[in-house]
Each structure stands twice: as structure tokens, then as C-alpha cells.
Amino acid sequence: MTTPTHKPLVFSGMQPNGNLHLGNYLGALKNWVKMQQDMNCIYCVVDMHALTTWVDPKELTQSIREVTAAYIAAGVDPAKTILFNQSQVHEHAELAWIFNCVARMGWLNRMTQFKEKAGKNRENSSVGLFVYPDLMAADILAYKATHVPVGEDQKQHLELARDIAQKFNNDYNVPDYFPLPDPVITGPATRVMSLRDGSKKMSKSDESDYSRINLTDDADAIVQKIRKARTDPNPLPDSEKGFEGRPEAENLINIYAALADGTREQAIARFAGRQFSGFKNELAELTVSKISPITSEMRRLLGDPAEIDRILKAGAHKARAICAPIVAEVKRMTGLVG
Ligand code: TYM
């Protein structure tokens, strides 16, 4: 656990590599907005992470703005919270290099996300994809952040960040210098699954657009995708136990619960014994009512890209004011600077 010597500070980020989807929103972004109310928060568009797999330069620039617009449209308030893109603050890259030298090959070899992303093509993956979790640890620890709101899939990366922090503190004999950041994985939808296959995570990289709801989808698309979502022939169960072997039903109930700001139990009780058709109508209506305002606000914000760039620049300035002294201290601790 984080020691009380560290002031609570929230840090999180998303990659600008295509459209954000409902999984990003329910697993992370929605919680970010809540945490902003009573904690200091730093939210980052992790553009250097996006380079770990090929991305067209023009698309990357656009995607950085789109993700920024999505954060703001969902409720991240740049007046209260620091909002910036990673590559504007070079301390992240500097600290990541130091962490490349702290982390062990064996630790990174265990990362399941690398294995999934590299697949059979491991030898041909970028080195950046392999050391990606070191950069993520640097993002967090450059600020000595203590809380990291993420979806379930980032849990292992957070454990690695804790291992890096602990090893750095031990190697350089600076007990408690870096906090051991806690993952904050909360809500009924910490792992939103594909609408086409309840055993697969909802993901930007899925070939089928029907597998996910994008934050840029219009109301018609949302309704269509939910209507076509895979289900099974039975009515919805009336208890937790009834979801065994029914991942698609469980996923849709979790999505409903998260969007309704309720619990899983409440959602189960509400739809117990009902047919999917009626449930899907209500789910579609709820999804449209929650997502469409975000989509239209995103569109409005994207009409003024200069304003988005200005927000990111101002955020980067504030971010540097916090992390530059920390990274300078790390450089002294490691002997890079006398
Ligand atoms: P990324 O860009 O893949 O995803 C952004 C956030 O969305 C969550 N998420 C999901 N949650 C629930 N269900 C899903 N299907 C789903 N898909 C994605 C992710 O858990 C994440 O919280 N490595 C990170 C980005 C990163 C970061 C950081 C995060 C870089 N530096 C520092 C926190 C702190 C990533 O690739 O997330």
C-alpha cells in the first residue's frame, strides 16, 4: 500500500490510437471524472505509447485531439485537472529510460498484454511495445502519483509499476522515495466485453465495428449494435449464479448497471426473467442518452482544434512544474547529475 508520506494524487492515461469506445468510458474515463471531485488529478493522452504499433502520422495528430476532446466532453475539467499529451513533457521519456534499466527482462516477459499484442509476430514487434509498461510506470511515478484509475486489463502493468518503484527505492537506498501506486479498478464494468463475443475484451483493434460502441457512434449506430449484440435464447437470470456460462448476458447487464450509475445487483433485479428483446431496447435507450451528449460535445470541441492544442499546451506546462523537479532529483540519485 502507498505510505502516508505520499500525498494522494491521481494519474491515468489513454492511447490515442483510434476511437475511444464504451470500454474505455466505463472502465476508466467515467471514474476519472468522479475522482476529480475530491482529488488532485492528472490525465494524460499517452501519445508516445501509440507509436509502439504503426500509426499514420496525420491520424496520430488527429487522434490526440479526439481523445482530448473525449476527455473534456465526458467531464474532465481542464480548469481543475491537469490535462496534457505525454510527448510534450520530455521527463516521461527520460524517466522511462532509467526504468528500462531498473526493470528486468523476466518481468516484461510475463506481461500478457505484450503476448496478446505481439502474437505470433513477436520477433517483428517494436522494442517499444515490449518496454511499454516501463514508460507507463514513468508516466505515473514522474509525479509520484498514488492512485491510478484503470480498467481490469491494466492491473498487471500496475503491478509492474509497483515492482519498479520498489526496486528503484531499494537499489538507490531511498526508502519510500517512490510511492507504490494503487490501481483503482471500480464499478460494475471494469472489463467490458465485445458485443460479438463475450469471451473477448471490447477493443479498438477488433476487426468488427459491431463488437464495440465507439464514443463517435451516432444514436442509430448504437441502437443497431445493441440490437445485433450476441445473446443466448434464455431469459435473463434472477441471480449472480444464473450468469454462469452466459458471458454475453453478464456483459450487457454490467454495461447497463454502469451506465445507470447503479449496482450489478440492482440491474439483475430489474431485468430478472425478462427477454433480451425488451432488455436491449432499454439498454439502447440508456446508452444513447448517456453517450450521445458526449459525442455531440466532442464534435463541437473538435471544431476548434487550436483551442484543444492550447489546453494541452497549458496542461503540459503545469505537468512539467510537478515532474521536472522529481526527475531532476532522480538524475541526482542515479549519479547522472552531480
Ligand atoms: P488503453 O489506451 O488501452 O485504455 C485506456 C483505458 O481504458 C481501459 N479499457 C477498458 N476498460 C474496461 N473494458 C474494456 N474493454 C477496456 N478497454 C480499455 C483501460 O484499462 C485503460 O484504463 N497502458 C494504458 C495507457 C497508459 C496508462 C499510463 C494508464 C499509459 N500510461 C499511466 C494509466 C497510467 C493503455 O494502453 O490503456
Side-chain angles (χ1 to χ4, degrees):
M1 288 306 259
T2 304
T3 58
T5 45
H6 295 285
K7 270 198 262 139
L9 178 66
V10 177
F11 184 99
S12 201
M14 297 201 187
Q15 290 194 60
N17 53 2
N19 285 328
L20 294 188
H21 53 70
L22 194 63
N24 299 126
Y25 178 64
L26 296 179
L29 192 47
K30 197 164 180 288
N31 294 330
W32 296 7
V33 173
K34 248 190 241 152
M35 291 180 90
Q36 227 182 192
Q37 286 164 8
D38 37 38
M39 288 178 88
N40 289 326
C41 299
I42 304 176
Y43 296 135
C44 187
V45 180
V46 291
D47 49 7
M48 292 194 297
H49 276 105
L51 293 179
T52 58
T53 51
W54 171 251
V55 51
D56 183 285
K58 280 199 199 75
E59 280 173 24
L60 179 57
T61 311
Q62 177 59 15
S63 198
I64 293 168
R65 293 187 182 127
E66 276 174 15
V67 172
T68 308
Y71 287 5
I72 300 171
V76 169
D77 177 1
K80 201 190 291 172
T81 284
I82 299 177
L83 168 50
F84 72 107
N85 58 317
Q86 188 186 38
S87 62
Q88 286 203 63
V89 180
H90 61 73
E91 281 77 4
H92 290 238
E94 284 187 77
L95 189 59
W97 180 257
I98 294 172
F99 286 171
N100 282 341
C101 304
V102 172
R104 307 288 92 182
M105 289 288 287
W107 299 359
L108 290 165
N109 265 327
R110 284 197 289 274
M111 294 296 114
T112 53
Q113 199 164 86
F114 175 74
K115 287 182 200 159
E116 277 163 27
K117 285 200 181 170
K120 291 197 189 85
N121 213 7
R122 190 186 154 98
E123 290 300 307
N124 207 22
S125 329
S126 73
V127 176
L129 188 65
F130 186 66
V131 293
Y132 161 133
D134 294 348
L135 177 57
M136 176 164 164
D139 296 338
I140 300 163
L141 295 170
Y143 302 87
K144 296 190 178 180
T146 55
H147 294 75
V148 186
V150 283
E152 178 75 38
D153 63 336
Q154 295 300 316
K155 198 168 170 216
Q156 196 185 32
H157 290 159
L158 253 296
E159 280 158 15
L160 188 94
R162 292 166 67 94
D163 289 343
I164 290 175
Q166 186 66 68
K167 187 167 189 302
F168 182 95
N169 293 349
N170 293 345
D171 286 355
Y172 293 98
N173 196 20
V174 283
D176 290 340
Y177 181 72
F178 282 123
L180 308 188
D182 285 320
V184 181
I185 301 173
T186 61
T190 56
R191 189 175 176 81
V192 177
M193 308 308 279
S194 155
L195 299 180
R196 308 299 297 157
D197 177 351
S199 68
K200 272 180 26 193
K201 195 179 71 172
M202 184 177 283
S203 148
K204 290 167 196 166
S205 53
D206 197 311
E207 278 164 22
S208 163
D209 197 50
Y210 271 85
S211 70
R212 66 185 157 257
I213 290 171
N214 304 303
L215 294 190
T216 46
D217 284 344
D218 61 22
D220 282 350
I222 293 175
V223 171
Q224 280 304 318
K225 287 178 179 183
I226 292 180
R227 199 168 284 159
K228 291 218 158 102
R230 187 163 150 187
T231 50
D232 56 51
N234 299 318
L236 285 146
D238 60 4
S239 70
E240 283 286 345
K241 247 181 130 303
F243 285 100
E244 271 167 29
R246 303 183 66 187
E248 284 86 11
E250 182 172 16
N251 187 40
L252 296 181
I253 280 287
N254 288 346
I255 293 174
Y256 185 94
L259 284 171
D261 288 313
T263 64
R264 212 173 123 98
E265 291 69 34
Q266 286 165 338
I268 295 172
R270 182 177 170 124
F271 295 104
R274 296 260 302 269
Q275 297 298 328
F276 272 106
S277 51
F279 167 55
K280 280 182 167 181
N281 286 342
E282 284 195 44
L283 178 61
E285 202 179 303
L286 178 66
T287 311
V288 169
S289 78
K290 298 285 177 167
I291 299 302
S292 292
I294 299 178
T295 310
S296 48
E297 179 61 4
M298 259 178 85
R299 276 206 201 101
R300 190 190 68 76
L301 291 163
L302 284 166
D304 188 356
E307 173 62 7
I308 294 181
D309 293 351
R310 197 198 57 73
I311 291 170
L312 289 173
K313 197 163 174 208
H317 194 71
K318 290 190 221 159
R320 281 208 74 209
I322 303 172
C323 72
I326 295 174
V327 175
E329 204 173 14
V330 168
K331 286 168 92 174
R332 281 195 297 278
M333 286 171 172
T334 51
L336 288 169
V337 173

